[in-house]
Amino acid sequence: MDKLLIRGGNRLSGTLPISGAKNAALTLIPCALLTEEPLTLRNVPRLADIDGFQHLMAQFGVSVSIRGKRPEDFGRVVTFEASRLTSTVAPYDLVRKMRASILVLGSLLARAGEATVSMPGGCAIGNRPIDLHLQALEAFGANIELAQGYVKATAPDGGLPGGDFDFPVVSVGATENALMAAVLANGTSRLTGAAREPEIVDLCNLLTAMGAEIEGIGTSDLTIHGVKRLNGATYKVMADRIEAGSYACAAAITGGEVRLEGADAENMISSLAALRKIGVHVEEDKSGVSIAANGALKPVDLTTAPFPGLATDMQAQLMALLCKAEGTSVLKETIFENRFMHVPELIRMGADINAEGRTAVVKGVQNLTGAEVMATDLRASMSLVIAALAAEGETQVRRIYHLDRGYERLEEKLQLVGADIERVDD
Ligand code: UD1
């Protein structure tokens, strides 16, 4: 297993390219199951989670062809063709490695009238149930059975009728599954209290390009008029707002100045607002975002919330940044109940943090120091990288398979802007 060695203290400067969004790609890929025609996605990031999902698609008999395999290629072009499905079962072995596999439930059900998907099970950042995914599909007329660790969803003969569902809690994944099931339903469906994250807008835009009829895109009230069939499409995956936000924190903590090429400021509204409050200079234009440190970092109080609120996926990285602010910050996590696993590791690097329940109090310190650390999830791992870039001495980050799930060529990108970081065999 590899680890990262980071020697802190270099001021980051230069231009860093932002990849296609992992979480968008993971919801766009299953759209290929909704049509017999090819779906070509551009700007697909090269990540372990995406490879896993492509593998899962092949399991259903979908042909997957990838262009841009050369090491120097950033965005890949991937064509999926589901002319005939040979299976509608997502087995435990593939699903357990990647929770996002649950996103095939809605599209398989819509296309084939049935889907059997292994329950994703627990996850390091909380319980993460799938009850809302199932309730939404039931509201559309699906029959759901749970047996031997699998969810089996079936549509009545002639297909899903469609229906209305009001989400009691905003759920990104459940909204995505419901959308993919509703587009081929016989009637009209309405989703209220739906998530409106930019990745959902990306999904709606692709579905529309495939011939779906969706009203209310970008709002929490979506009306979907089912259509008989969908066509193929060629579509570019949106920029990764979390990757961009993570590198913005990295630039700021090192007192640096970095251009995030390809970042979309509109999708980063709350993260950029938080950075500005912290005293970081942020400039936005059509093709990217420029970040420049601007004197001392100021403490702030931040609370995560569904979009357009502050993304929970940015909480750990902002916490790392605030470890070096001049004063005390308070971070509240409202989305996941167990998402402070980076705290003990940051403390080992000299941070002063007191986390209780869903609140963390971060007292800024003068210096962070290098240490041997490891994290148990993707964004928590990134917070350790950010802290390490500003720490005195060397940090070793272990278990970097978490980072490989979500950051395309992390060390290469950071090297581009002057970080002292290398990947070595552990
Ligand atoms: C997605 C993102 C993840 C992000 C999260 C919140 C992907 C692949 N992952 O995860 O990076 O952190 O959105 O922005 O896109 N809930 C239920 N029942 C359900 C589903 C969810 O109670 O059936 C709860 C969850 O426990 C959580 C909250 O709803 O407290 C939000 O979760 P959700 O938006 O569904 O997250 P994911 O789609 O899993």
Side-chain angles (χ1 to χ4, degrees), residues 22-24 26-27 49 99-100 102-103 125-134 169-176 195 197 199 241-242 305-307 311-313 334-337 339 358 378-379:
K22 169 182 83 82
N23 285 355
L26 289 175
T27 187
D49 268 14
R99 212 195 113 80
I102 192 69
L103 292 175
I125 60 171
N127 217 359
R128 301 184 89 171
I130 56 161
D131 52 333
L132 300 174
H133 299 240
L134 305 184
V169 174
V170 177
S171 164
V172 175
T175 302
E176 292 169 343
E197 265 62 9
E199 292 76 12
R241 62 193 173 108
I242 307 300
F307 192 83
T312 171
D313 284 354
T334 69
I335 310 289
F336 292 111
E337 72 273 20
R339 209 173 188 180
R358 290 173 176 245
L378 170 58
R379 309 303 171 185

Side-chain angles (χ1 to χ4, degrees), residues 136 139-141 161-165 182 185 187-191:
F140 295 166
D164 296 349
F165 188 68
T188 293
S189 303
R190 186 162 170 217
L191 299 172

